[in-house]
Amino acid sequence: MPDHPQLSLVQQCQLFQIARSSLYYQPKAPVDEELELLRLIDQQYLETPCYGSRKMTLFLQPCGYRINRKRTQHDSFFMLELPRLLIQRYQVHLIVYESAEEVIVLWKK
């Protein structure tokens, strides 16, 4: 998008109705500790789906994570609730293909 010869960046952003700062945004890669934390939440949720954010926080604190309940709620929402809401809202189906080397996840409408 920024390489258009006739439109300036301001005009391009106005055309697409996006903020100019979004052109320069560089997403950060997740830290290994965050990925490990999400894996632990997912693993514990599969074993005890009745755990809420309070019990999940109590489970994670002895594992060495300094985490509060709001962080647990946030991480749990993005891992567990958001995919369910997307499926309900956009009526998409999650298809998982597993081979020996990799897991392929496709969203199909």
Side-chain angles (χ1 to χ4, degrees):
M1 181 169 122
D3 297 336
H4 196 278
Q6 296 173 346
L7 293 176
S8 69
L9 286 178
V10 174
Q11 292 172 331
Q12 292 177 50
C13 290
Q14 288 173 346
L15 181 65
F16 289 109
Q17 297 179 350
I18 60 172
R20 196 173 42 165
S21 62
S22 63
L23 291 178
Y24 306 107
Y25 175 71
Q26 296 289 328
K28 294 180 182 176
V31 181
D32 291 338
E33 183 179 319
E34 291 179 20
L35 295 175
E36 178 66 20
L37 179 65
L38 293 176
R39 188 190 64 75
L40 278 173
I41 291 174
D42 187 40
Q43 180 181 2
Q44 186 63 30
Y45 180 78
L46 290 175
E47 292 176 15
T48 54
C50 60
Y51 271 18
S53 61
R54 287 183 174 96
K55 280 194 177 183
M56 191 66 74
T57 304
L58 291 175
F59 165 75
L60 292 170
Q61 286 174 345
C63 295
Y65 291 98
R66 293 190 55 171
I67 186 169
N68 61 12
R69 188 169 70 93
K70 289 186 178 184
R71 170 74 189 271
T72 307
Q73 286 175 329
H74 178 266
D75 290 347
S76 298
F77 173 77
F78 280 102
M79 286 182 43
L80 307 171
E81 295 297 320
L82 189 61
R84 183 181 60 82
L85 293 175
L86 287 173
I87 289 170
Q88 287 177 352
R89 171 68 173 94
Y90 297 106
Q91 298 171 350
V92 287
H93 303 284
L94 184 63
I95 303 171
V96 178
Y97 296 101
E98 294 185 37
S99 66
E101 298 85 24
E102 60 186 25
V103 175
I104 302 169
V105 178
L106 300 175
W107 290 90
K108 177 184 170 191
K109 225 169 184 192

